[in-house]
Amino acid sequence: MKKLLSLGFWEFIARIILRNRITILLLVVLITGLLATQWKHIRFTHTEANLIPADDKVNVDYNNFLDKFGEEGNLIVLATKDDRLFTPKAFKAWSEMMSSIQNHKEVDLVISADNLKTLAKSDSVQSFTLNNLVDKSKTDNQQYLSKVKKDLLENLPFYEGLLFNKKSGAIRSAVYLDKKIVNTKIRKEYVLESLIPEIEKFEKTTGIDIHASGMPYIRTLNAKTIIDEIGLFIGAALLVTGLIFFFFFRSFRATTISLLVVIIGVMWSFGLLGLLGYEITVLTALVPTLVIVIGIPNCIFLINKYHQEYYKHANKAKALQRVITKTGTATLMTNLTTALGFATFIATNNTLLVEFGVITSINILAIYILCMLILPVFFSYIPAPIQRHLGHLEREYLTAFFRWIINTVKYNKVGVYTVAVCLLIIGMIGIHKIKISGSIIEDMPKKTAFFDDIRFFEKEFDGVMPLEIMIDTKRKKGVMKLSTLKRMEELEETINEIPELSKTLSVVNLVKYSKQAYYNGNPDFYELPTAQEQAFILSYAKNATKNSKENLMKSYVDSTGQFARITTFIKDENGEKMDAIEAQIRAKANKLFPSPRYDVIITGKPSVFQKGTKYLLDNLLSSLLMAFGLTAALVAIMFRSFKMVLVSIIPNLLPLLMTAGLMGFLGIPLKPSTILVFGIAFGMSVDDTLRFLAQYRMELSRNDWKIKKSVFATFDDAGISMFYTSIVLFFGFSVFMLSSFGGTVALGGLVALTLSFGMLSNLVLLPSLVLSLNKTLANQQELPEPIIDILEATDEEIEAVEKKQ
């Protein structure tokens, strides 16, 4: 560490870079080419984000359910409320569409009004036969279709909630995909290239609007939107940061080379994704844009320092040497703390966040190395900056802004602390108003047609998000015992009384339908059989479903007859009530299915997502504490002062509390996207803190350890870079607000806001704290020798070392 931070080390690095320019450029080209070969390995995720560790009980229960019944998210639903559906032309088109969908190998089963099966008793074989509800030879008769619709709505309660809404008249079809393709690329290809064209063809033929939804459909269109937005983010980030960069420096050459550096960084980021075998998820899709947003401030800091040095002595070679020598330690530490801020996600024990933390941290250090290598080499080949390029150092608006800051710090520290305490109190009040979101779709694009379709199904069919209850009877064929069925019926009655949930689906419905069929389809007999009826009715039902692809029982009873499944659906807006809903179901289940005679698991995607959000929240505090600890350790290594550690943490803690408070007042809930804000913002905001403190230490040595004079002199050197980089970061993260995803918008907006608070805190509160808490900081012995070597070195001492080298 001593050698790493010493003046001689950075002199050595500067000499290598400036004396081996061609070699360095060829090395960058070679690495870029090698990483480009890894682009072919980039894959887009086909599974949903799971925020809980694999060994957590929530995931264990969910995987146990999948082992018994397969992927539960394989249902796509198509629906309409248009009365014209039961007209000859429209019904024929509907029937053709469903037949075409069924003929695809990716589809396991289609249940629709046109191919609906009804149970009918067959005494000759003591079984139920599956008869067609619709005689397709009569579908050109309007009167016949009206009768079919009436029979469906009034005489088939088994299908209510599954295929129709009796109150509104909405009709839907259920398309069950092959469970093996649900989490593969084949699902995406089928939905985009086969299913959607079929729907569009029907709509064009009939003029009837079709609403489509279900987890496979939602996931496919959601992923497509993520992919489409990657290019948008990269282009917008390059444009915005490039324009701001040019506005600051008024140099096409400096702007061009900075953009080239970050473009190379983006190419590396894609290559590293392929090399590490990471999939592009909703989080890793942000990494290329983050490389741009973080890389440009690095360029600004280095180029601004180059201009400052050239402005002093008009010697280009010396200025380039000083850029590396004087900024080496500071830039290394600031990029290291940013990388550590993202690296804290590695500690969450969640694959999605671990991959995001790893790939982002590596790319931050990679873009830092690119900046340190390419910028000095580039500027060594082009002419020295002219006066127009150096004019930004003395702009009037900057001078006025820093004059106000200096006067505030110098004469109104009490006012600074008063405002800080007031903001702290307001933030704490707002924090108590924050709610936790359990919504799966809240962050999805709200202006898309598929989002409107989700709302349609929530209104007409009480949602498309499945909540699953799995009952283990602990004995084979235990499910089909009448006592078990009656217990399940009682549990279902409790579930059906919960207003947030839809009507339940289970083997109980099928057994009730069997009794109705036994009594010649009379809907008055849609109920469980009596003890006297059970033997022959259940035997009829088992015979009817034996070896049939259309066996509905296999979806709700496993092959051994030991495990039963009850499915209900929950509206997404009720996700935050999940704990209360589960508690109500659990209380009744424990009473009806006491342990250890039975095991009851409550699971499903909404439940897993809700618990994942809470898990992420629980890990937020530990991740932030880890980030604080790592930052404190770096500051302690650099300054060996506990006071300096406090000075570095407080100005960065206040903006986080202010943002959290603002979230509470604005009603922005804690969810996976907003939880990430705090770790990201802290990792980037602390950069300014370290830059200010590093420059302050240099000024101490130059000003005979006079604290006030050194603090104000720090603004002349580090202040402009801090201001420039904060502005770029603000607008850079604001680019994410162009997203159609609510979570990405919230992430970009809140990080941008937090970094703005952080800039003001570091420029006003930080120097005020330095002046108030560090009156003894001028003691030279507090600094470790390697830090003194570089931070206390005057220009004359650096020049002497340069000559000696």
Side-chain angles (χ1 to χ4, degrees), residues 186-230:
I186 299 174
R187 181 209 75 219
K188 181 193 74 170
E189 293 173 346
Y190 169 72
V191 171
L192 296 178
E193 299 173 13
S194 299
L195 180 64
I196 292 179
E198 290 282 0
I199 295 172
E200 292 173 345
K201 178 183 175 182
F202 173 84
E203 291 177 331
K204 184 177 180 180
T205 301
T206 64
I208 296 175
D209 289 332
I210 296 296
H211 300 277
S213 194
M215 293 309 296
Y217 186 83
I218 294 170
R219 288 165 56 188
T220 299
L221 295 189
N222 200 46
K224 183 178 182 298
T225 307
I226 292 173
I227 296 168
D228 292 342
E229 288 191 350
I230 293 177

Side-chain angles (χ1 to χ4, degrees), residues 300-452:
I300 287 176
F301 186 75
L302 293 172
I303 294 174
N304 186 66
K305 187 65 179 177
Y306 169 58
H307 286 175
Q308 287 177 332
E309 288 296 327
Y310 186 81
Y311 185 78
K312 290 179 181 178
H313 44 66
N315 187 322
K316 187 178 77 171
K318 183 187 292 186
L320 291 173
Q321 182 89 352
R322 297 278 179 85
V323 166
I324 301 171
T325 303
K326 287 188 174 183
T327 66
T329 299
T331 53
L332 175 62
M333 289 298 180
T334 53
N335 280 274
L336 195 57
T337 52
T338 302
L340 288 174
F342 284 93
T344 56
F345 295 126
I346 299 173
T348 60
N349 194 27
N350 171 265
T351 302
L352 182 73
L353 294 174
V354 167
E355 289 184 357
F356 177 65
V358 169
I359 196 69
T360 308
S361 301
I362 293 174
N363 276 288
I364 288 170
L365 296 178
I367 193 66
Y368 160 71
I369 293 172
L370 283 172
C371 291
M372 290 294 288
L373 293 178
I374 296 177
L375 291 179
V377 171
F378 173 79
F379 282 103
S380 70
Y381 280 113
I382 66 173
I386 58 177
Q387 185 58 40
R388 173 168 57 86
H389 300 153
L390 304 177
H392 67 94
L393 299 174
E394 297 180 340
R395 289 203 179 115
E396 186 174 342
Y397 68 86
L398 274 180
T399 304
F401 177 66
F402 281 102
R403 188 184 304 119
W404 171 78
I405 290 178
I406 290 172
N407 288 335
T408 301
V409 173
K410 185 181 294 186
Y411 303 114
N412 198 18
K413 285 193 290 294
V414 175
V416 171
Y417 298 143
T418 301
V419 171
V421 171
C422 289
L423 291 175
L424 176 63
I425 294 173
I426 293 172
M428 296 300 292
I429 294 172
I431 288 174
H432 286 86
K433 297 179 180 292
I434 293 182
K435 295 181 179 180
I436 300 175
S437 171
S439 171
I440 294 179
I441 68 171
E442 183 176 3
D443 286 344
M444 291 183 181
K446 292 182 173 57
K447 296 181 180 180
T448 57
F450 80 84
F451 189 88
D452 293 335

Side-chain angles (χ1 to χ4, degrees), residues 641-658:
S641 168
F642 178 71
K643 290 182 180 180
M644 190 62 79
V645 171
L646 289 178
V647 165
S648 66
I649 295 296
I650 293 174
N652 293 288
L653 183 60
L654 181 61
L656 299 183
L657 295 175
M658 290 170 62

Side-chain angles (χ1 to χ4, degrees), residues 403-611:
R403 188 184 304 119
W404 171 78
I405 290 178
I406 290 172
N407 288 335
T408 301
V409 173
K410 185 181 294 186
Y411 303 114
N412 198 18
K413 285 193 290 294
V414 175
V416 171
Y417 298 143
T418 301
V419 171
V421 171
C422 289
L423 291 175
L424 176 63
I425 294 173
I426 293 172
M428 296 300 292
I429 294 172
I431 288 174
H432 286 86
K433 297 179 180 292
I434 293 182
K435 295 181 179 180
I436 300 175
S437 171
S439 171
I440 294 179
I441 68 171
E442 183 176 3
D443 286 344
M444 291 183 181
K446 292 182 173 57
K447 296 181 180 180
T448 57
F450 80 84
F451 189 88
D452 293 335
D453 287 345
I454 293 174
R455 293 304 187 199
F456 171 84
F457 283 100
E458 292 201 332
K459 179 182 178 182
E460 298 296 332
F461 296 96
D462 294 324
V464 294
M465 307 299 174
L467 183 64
E468 305 284 357
I469 298 96
M470 186 174 75
I471 301 167
D472 180 3
T473 64
K474 299 292 185 73
R475 54 192 179 276
K476 291 184 178 181
K477 300 183 180 179
V479 172
M480 296 307 292
K481 290 183 177 295
L482 186 59
S483 59
T484 303
L485 294 173
K486 287 184 176 181
R487 291 170 188 265
M488 290 177 63
E489 182 185 36
E490 189 173 347
L491 178 59
E492 289 183 36
E493 288 172 355
T494 299
I495 295 172
N496 290 333
E497 290 173 357
I498 299 175
E500 293 83 6
L501 300 180
S502 71
K503 180 183 174 182
T504 55
L505 299 171
S506 74
V507 68
V508 172
N509 303 70
L510 184 58
V511 174
K512 287 181 178 180
Y513 187 29
S514 299
K515 180 173 179 178
Q516 178 190 353
Y518 187 82
Y519 287 98
N520 300 315
N522 188 339
D524 293 337
F525 288 92
Y526 185 73
E527 61 186 11
L528 286 177
T530 63
Q532 292 76 21
E533 296 168 329
Q534 65 168 321
F536 53 88
I537 289 180
L538 292 182
S539 67
Y540 270 58
K542 292 175 183 177
N543 290 334
T545 56
K546 191 180 297 181
N547 300 322
S548 171
K549 182 178 180 181
E550 295 163 341
N551 181 358
L552 294 176
M553 189 179 292
K554 70 179 182 180
S555 295
Y556 297 101
V557 181
D558 81 316
S559 58
T560 66
Q562 178 177 330
F563 294 88
R565 165 190 184 184
I566 300 174
T567 300
T568 183
F569 294 90
I570 183 172
K571 292 183 178 180
D572 185 74
E573 62 190 32
N574 295 318
E576 62 187 29
K577 302 177 184 177
M578 185 63 69
D579 285 345
I581 292 171
E582 284 193 24
Q584 189 174 349
I585 296 174
R586 175 64 66 184
K588 188 68 173 180
N590 289 342
K591 182 179 178 181
L592 294 171
F593 300 97
S595 178
R597 288 178 56 197
Y598 302 91
D599 276 341
V600 179
I601 290 174
I602 302 175
T603 187
K605 286 183 170 60
S607 176
V608 172
F609 183 85
Q610 170 74 4
K611 291 178 174 64

Side-chain angles (χ1 to χ4, degrees), residues 128-270:
F128 293 117
T129 59
L130 292 172
N131 298 332
N132 292 320
L133 173 67
V134 178
D135 184 349
K136 294 189 177 181
S137 66
K138 300 179 181 180
T139 54
D140 57 349
N141 186 307
Q142 178 61 60
Q143 189 174 6
Y144 174 75
L145 289 177
S146 298
K147 180 180 178 299
V148 168
K149 182 178 181 181
K150 183 179 179 181
D151 287 344
L152 177 63
L153 297 180
E154 296 181 4
N155 298 327
L156 294 172
F158 174 73
Y159 291 109
E160 184 176 358
L162 176 63
L163 295 184
F164 65 86
N165 181 331
K166 190 172 182 178
K167 293 181 180 179
S168 69
I171 303 293
R172 76 174 177 180
S173 294
V175 179
Y176 291 90
L177 298 184
D178 183 348
K179 294 178 179 180
K180 296 177 182 178
I181 72 159
V182 171
N183 292 320
T184 69
K185 184 180 180 181
I186 299 174
R187 181 209 75 219
K188 181 193 74 170
E189 293 173 346
Y190 169 72
V191 171
L192 296 178
E193 299 173 13
S194 299
L195 180 64
I196 292 179
E198 290 282 0
I199 295 172
E200 292 173 345
K201 178 183 175 182
F202 173 84
E203 291 177 331
K204 184 177 180 180
T205 301
T206 64
I208 296 175
D209 289 332
I210 296 296
H211 300 277
S213 194
M215 293 309 296
Y217 186 83
I218 294 170
R219 288 165 56 188
T220 299
L221 295 189
N222 200 46
K224 183 178 182 298
T225 307
I226 292 173
I227 296 168
D228 292 342
E229 288 191 350
I230 293 177
L232 171 66
F233 290 152
I234 293 175
L238 287 172
L239 177 63
V240 170
T241 55
L243 288 175
I244 295 173
F245 191 98
F246 181 77
F247 174 77
F248 286 153
F249 291 100
R250 307 293 170 88
S251 170
F252 283 109
R253 287 178 299 192
T255 304
T256 301
I257 188 57
S258 297
L259 292 178
L260 179 62
V261 169
V262 296
I263 288 173
I264 294 173
V266 168
M267 296 170 68
W268 283 24
S269 69
F270 282 117

Side-chain angles (χ1 to χ4, degrees), residues 80-94:
T80 182
K81 282 183 68 175
D82 199 312
D83 292 334
R84 292 177 293 168
L85 178 63
F86 283 89
T87 59
K89 178 183 176 182
F91 197 84
K92 180 182 179 182
W94 181 269

